[in-house]
Amino acid sequence: MAEGSGSASAAEVEMAFQKFAVHGDTKATGKEMNGKNFVKLCKDCKVIDGKNVTSTDVDIVFSKVKAKTARVITFEQFTQAMSELAPKRFKGKGQEEALQQLYGLIAGKEPANVGVTKVTKAAAVDRLTDSSKYTGSHKERFDESGKGKGKVGREDIPDTSGYVSAYKGSSSSSSSSRLSYSFLICVMANKGPSYGLSREVQSKIDKKYDPELEERLVEWIVAQCGPSVGRPQPGKQGFQTWLKDGCVLCELINSLYRDAKPVKKIQNSTMAFKQMEQISQFLTAAEKYGVTKSDVFQTVDLWEGKDLAAVQMTLMSLGSLAVTKTDGCYRGDPNWFHRKAQENKRDFSEDQLKEGQSIIGLQMGTNKGASQAGMTGYGRPRQIM
């Protein structure tokens, strides 16, 4: 049968037009076709043969038949385009005969990739996807039927039965003889003694700790917070243990406020992260209270006991601020801390400021008391008596 032979009805051609018009566009109605789908129709229906009709010819015809500002063509414009391409596609034939043969190529056709894409089968692909030929760890990821085992085949799940791996008597032994299996969460390891330069530096830091200042701070904290906070054992170790969980420090900073306590919840806990969190809350509240950042210790300085002298300095700065403020929240002896310097703001009038402009500052000397009384005239000899 000759290429494009047979008569094609207009309905069949229009049906093919609609199928190609909606290809790749879910919003398309099938009444208009864009340039991309027009080229695809010409390729899939073999209107483009690479000799008489090329893709360039198709683009030129599409631009010719469409409206000036439009990007799509209607079915009527499509038939005009086919009338332009038919004589080129079937040379030596009349216009009507060439157009009918061209319609014969288009009628009943649809986009080539409509439907499920078929998987290409090749010997190399089959060999790579055949799980029966896998070896080693890859073989363990599939069962005998070739189905993947999922997570079980990818990860090593630990045995939590308490038995040594491959122990033969694991199934026959009684439950009372099994080894208990548990994970120990080590929050912070006990550190050994320091040596060399580290030991020398730590020794200098420890010497800064003041036992007399410790007694004064303990007295103030007890007076400020009340006897419910208790008292520490004498010495640096007892002072650290007393403040380590952060509860006493949070009670201290809360007692310096009448309303709107900075630390909302204080609770005793043996967990390290909770204790360190409460210490951090105290440090944040102390900065907001007015303690300068350079006077604030680090959390590890107290929790690990690295620099308890810095802890004393922070508490001293906090006590000085508390005794300086006149809000009435300070409790205890006012002589325990030095008062902070207060601002002495002065307001001068305009007249006073103008008078100050005519006065020579004492840093530059003074002209008061200067006089030429008793001096002789110029040119006369000095009288020596």
Side-chain angles (χ1 to χ4, degrees):
M1 184 179 291
E3 184 182 21
S5 62
S7 61
S9 64
E12 292 177 337
V13 176
E14 187 173 2
M15 182 63 68
F17 172 85
Q18 292 175 356
K19 290 181 179 180
F20 278 93
V22 299
H23 175 72
D25 188 359
T26 57
K27 297 181 180 180
T29 61
K31 296 181 179 180
E32 296 176 332
M33 178 184 291
N34 57 32
K36 180 179 178 181
N37 289 352
F38 179 72
V39 174
K40 181 173 179 58
L41 181 147
C42 294
K43 287 182 179 179
D44 291 355
C45 298
K46 297 183 180 179
V47 176
I48 298 177
D49 61 353
K51 296 180 180 179
N52 299 326
V53 178
T54 63
S55 58
T56 303
D57 296 328
V58 171
D59 290 335
I60 293 173
V61 171
F62 181 84
S63 300
K64 184 177 180 180
V65 299
K66 74 178 183 65
K68 187 173 181 181
T69 58
R71 296 184 179 181
V72 293
I73 59 174
T74 61
F75 181 70
E76 288 75 11
Q77 294 170 333
F78 173 76
T79 56
Q80 295 177 14
M82 293 299 103
S83 300
E84 294 281 342
L85 294 174
K88 294 183 180 181
R89 179 68 174 79
F90 299 101
K91 290 183 177 180
K93 296 186 179 182
Q95 177 70 26
E96 291 296 330
E97 185 181 0
L99 185 59
Q100 285 298 324
Q101 289 190 1
L102 189 62
Y103 283 160
L105 295 176
I106 299 172
K109 299 294 179 64
E110 60 184 15
N113 60 347
V114 171
V116 180
T117 304
K118 296 181 180 180
V119 178
T120 303
K121 291 187 177 181
V125 177
D126 291 341
R127 185 170 62 253
L128 293 174
T129 57
D130 187 0
S131 60
S132 63
K133 297 181 181 180
Y134 290 168
T135 59
S137 60
H138 297 287
K139 185 177 181 180
E140 300 297 329
R141 296 175 58 184
F142 298 88
D143 56 16
E144 295 179 356
S145 63
K147 185 178 180 181
K149 296 180 180 180
K151 186 177 180 180
V152 178
R154 295 194 305 270
E155 296 183 1
D156 292 333
I157 300 177
D159 181 12
T160 59
S161 61
Y163 290 97
V164 180
S165 177
Y167 178 58
K168 295 181 179 180
S170 60
S171 60
S172 60
S173 177
S174 62
S175 60
S176 61
S177 62
R178 292 185 179 182
L179 298 174
S180 60
Y181 186 85
S182 60
F183 292 101
L184 299 178
I185 302 175
C186 184
V187 179
M188 193 166 293
N190 294 327
K191 296 184 179 181
S194 302
Y195 297 96
L197 182 60
S198 300
R199 184 173 183 176
E200 183 178 350
V201 172
Q202 188 62 44
S203 177
K204 290 183 178 180
I205 293 175
D206 293 340
K207 289 180 180 178
K208 295 180 181 179
Y209 186 81
D210 189 351
E212 295 182 359
L213 182 57
E214 172 197 321
E215 295 179 4
R216 191 197 313 173
L217 292 173
V218 170
E219 292 296 332
W220 173 55
I221 293 174
V222 173
Q224 185 72 37
C225 301
S228 59
V229 296
R231 286 180 175 272
Q233 294 291 331
K236 183 172 68 173
Q237 188 66 32
F239 187 69
Q240 179 202 3
T241 305
W242 188 45
L243 303 177
K244 183 177 179 180
D245 60 358
C247 294
V248 175
L249 294 176
C250 292
E251 292 286 355
L252 175 62
I253 195 66
N254 279 349
S255 66
L256 297 177
Y257 288 85
R258 290 187 180 276
D259 301 317
K261 307 293 185 182
V263 182
K264 304 300 181 183
K265 186 177 181 181
I266 304 173
Q267 59 181 5
N268 292 318
S269 177
T270 57
M271 292 185 289
F273 77 91
K274 188 61 181 177
Q275 295 178 353
M276 298 177 78
E277 181 183 1
Q278 292 194 148
I279 296 174
S280 298
Q281 290 177 347
F282 163 76
L283 296 177
T284 303
E287 283 192 47
K288 292 182 179 180
Y289 190 75
V291 179
T292 57
K293 196 168 186 178
S294 58
D295 291 339
V296 175
F297 65 88
Q298 300 294 321
T299 303
V300 293
D301 292 340
L302 173 59
W303 204 90
E304 296 183 6
K306 287 187 173 181
D307 191 358
L308 294 178
V311 178
Q312 289 183 326
M313 182 176 67
T314 302
L315 294 176
M316 284 294 297
S317 299
L318 183 63
S320 297
L321 283 170
V323 76
T324 302
K325 292 186 177 183
T326 58
D327 52 6
C329 294
Y330 178 82
R331 303 185 188 95
D333 190 352
N335 297 321
W336 283 339
F337 303 100
H338 297 288
R339 292 182 180 272
K340 296 282 187 178
Q342 298 296 305
E343 181 182 13
N344 187 12
K345 189 176 181 179
R346 296 178 176 85
D347 295 325
F348 295 99
S349 63
E350 292 294 332
D351 296 335
Q352 290 175 325
L353 293 175
K354 289 181 180 180
E355 289 179 5
Q357 294 176 358
S358 61
I359 298 175
I360 300 176
L362 294 179
Q363 293 88 347
M364 303 174 65
T366 179
N367 60 355
K368 291 184 178 181
S371 174
Q372 293 183 350
M375 294 183 64
T376 59
Y378 295 104
R380 295 181 62 182
R382 182 180 178 186
Q383 300 297 324
I384 300 175
M385 303 301 293

